[in-house]
Structures are given as structure tokens and as C-alpha cells.
Amino acid sequence: AQSVTQLDSHVSVSEGTPVLLRCNYSSSYSPSLFWYVQHPNKGLQLLLKYTSAATLVKGINGFEAEFKKSETSFHLTKPSAHMSDAAEYFCVASKTSYDKVIFGPGTSLSVIP
Amino acid sequence: GAVVSQHPSWVICKSGTSVKIECRSLDFQATTMFWYRQFPKQSLMLMATSNEGSKATYEQGVEKDKFLINHASLTLSTLTVTSAHPEDSSFYICSAGGTILGTGELFFGEGSRLTVL
């Protein structure tokens, strides 16, 4: 069975410091992986996606993620946090196709001024 | 990117009434749309897959008669919460895209906050 784990339910960082949000997946095949961000009472916005091309993926707003097959991980990073980055982040894996996906439980990011 | 629009964004209703939420793909046609439910501080839970011109496919544990889904056209899917009760209060989100657009990316609506009094 395919699953997505986000190890931290909540992460708090100071503004200007690096961000690391962890994601691990389990799958019998190489999945497509996505990171989405959700601000309060809003829908989800795609930050970046991995679809078996380059393992280091760059996204919007300075975020990037690296796909490590040996570790079954797809951690999200950003060199310097901004206040506007405070939101909920979801790691998502594709199931059978790109359409039906598996959501991780989410990580709430707080940015301290 | 593609745009998926949901309406209404907020709705408050009395217990026992029915509420309809619309999900529209504004600049592409979607034969398949997905409906999710999100409880506070939790992840999205897939409720059902909406198929244009045919019956929706519901996930295990989701009441088909409670959550009616209609996908009458290639750009519109509706979710009707029938005889709503306070426990139906939640954030409902739809999505579309994926292989339809060839990008592998699902586009999400802004969500609809339902509060049942």
C-alpha cells in the first residue's frame, strides 16, 4: 500500500533561518511526488513536483525539494524563511495515475519574527 | 496554471437543510473531479471521484445519500450535502487536472467552509 508520512506535525522557525519540512513515502513503484501549501481557509497551491526527471526540484517562492530513492524521502527546504511562508504544507504522492493522490498529514509551519 | 473555482466560499445553514457546493474548471475541461473534506488541523480526505456523465465513485465510509455528487458537464461538478447536521460542518475542497492537462498536477479550488447550526 502507498502512504505518505510527514514526520513533524508542526515546525517553528525564526524569520530568515532555513526551513526543513520532512516527507517520507512508501510505494511499490517510483511515485510522482508533490508539495502543496495551504494558507488558512484557502485551497492548495502547488509549490513543486517530482516526476522522475531531476532529483533536485526547484519550486516557487524559493522552495526546493530533493528526491532520495534510497531514503524514500522528499524533504522540502528553503534557505531563508519569510513571514508569508507561515502555512500548512502537504506532501502528496500519486496513486495509480496523476489523478488520484495520497496526502500526507500535513506540517504546520510557523515563522517567528 | 489552470483555474478551479468553488462557490460558495462560506455557507451557514440550519440543521436539516441541504447545501449545494459548485466546482468549476474555468479554462479546461475536466472529465474527472475530486471532492475532499478537511477537518481542522487535519489533512484532506478524499470523499469521492466525480465522473462526467456517470455516477460518482465514493470512498469507503462516505455516505452516498448524504453527499450527492453530480457532474453534468465537462466544467462543472456539484456536491450537495443533504439534510445537513452539525457534524457535517467542515471545509470541502474540489480538484481537477492531472492527466487531463498532461501536467500531472492537480489544481484545487479555494474551498468551501460549511457551518451547520
Side-chain angles (χ1 to χ4, degrees), chain B:
Chain B
V3 179
V4 174
S5 174
Q6 264 185 260
H7 178 81
S9 301
W10 299 82
V11 57
I12 300 173
C13 69
K14 292 182 179 180
S15 186
T17 61
S18 295
V19 175
K20 180 184 288 186
I21 301 170
E22 295 184 346
C23 179
R24 295 180 184 273
S25 55
L26 297 186
D27 48 3
F28 67 100
Q29 294 182 329
T31 54
T32 304
M33 291 184 176
F34 300 90
W35 285 97
Y36 301 85
R37 183 173 180 175
Q38 186 179 32
F39 291 102
K41 304 295 183 182
Q42 294 189 26
S43 187
L44 279 70
M45 178 191 76
L46 179 65
M47 297 174 66
T49 302
S50 174
N51 306 300
E52 188 270 335
S54 64
K55 292 182 179 180
T57 305
Y58 289 83
E59 296 298 304
Q60 190 173 10
V62 177
E63 297 178 62
K64 301 178 182 180
D65 296 332
K66 161 68 78 175
F67 300 101
L68 300 180
I69 292 174
N70 185 292
H71 197 149
S73 77
L74 287 171
T75 59
L76 174 63
S77 174
T78 60
L79 168 68
T80 301
V81 183
T82 63
S83 186
H85 290 284
E87 57 265 29
D88 298 325
S89 298
S90 193
F91 194 56
Y92 294 88
I93 303 177
C94 69
S95 72
T99 52
I100 293 172
L101 297 179
T103 64
E105 174 188 350
L106 280 173
F107 295 91
F108 291 83
E110 287 284 287
S112 299
R113 171 75 60 192
L114 170 63
T115 301
V116 184
L117 302 177

Side-chain angles (χ1 to χ4, degrees), chain A:
Chain A
Q2 192 173 18
S3 67
V4 176
T5 304
Q6 291 180 244
L7 298 171
D8 306 299
S9 59
H10 183 258
V11 170
S12 183
V13 300
S14 297
E15 189 176 16
T17 63
V19 176
L20 169 64
L21 304 182
R22 296 182 290 172
C23 172
N24 288 87
Y25 69 92
S26 67
S27 177
S28 57
Y29 52 89
S30 292
S32 292
L33 296 163
F34 309 80
W35 275 100
Y36 284 86
V37 61
Q38 183 184 31
H39 289 90
N41 293 309
K42 294 291 186 181
L44 277 70
Q45 180 186 21
L46 180 70
L47 285 176
L48 47 80
K49 63 181 178 183
Y50 166 76
T51 55
S52 74
T55 56
L56 182 60
V57 181
K58 294 187 182 298
I60 62 172
N61 301 334
F63 285 95
E64 64 180 39
E66 185 172 8
F67 174 73
K68 293 186 177 180
K69 187 175 182 178
S70 61
E71 299 176 9
T72 62
S73 69
F74 189 57
H75 300 334
L76 181 71
T77 60
K78 182 173 180 177
S80 176
H82 291 181
M83 294 298 295
S84 60
D85 294 328
E88 191 80 17
Y89 291 80
F90 294 98
C91 182
V92 179
S94 62
K95 198 171 181 181
T96 54
S97 68
Y98 291 126
D99 294 347
K100 201 168 184 180
V101 297
I102 302 294
F103 281 85
T107 298
S108 176
L109 175 65
S110 297
V111 181
I112 304 168

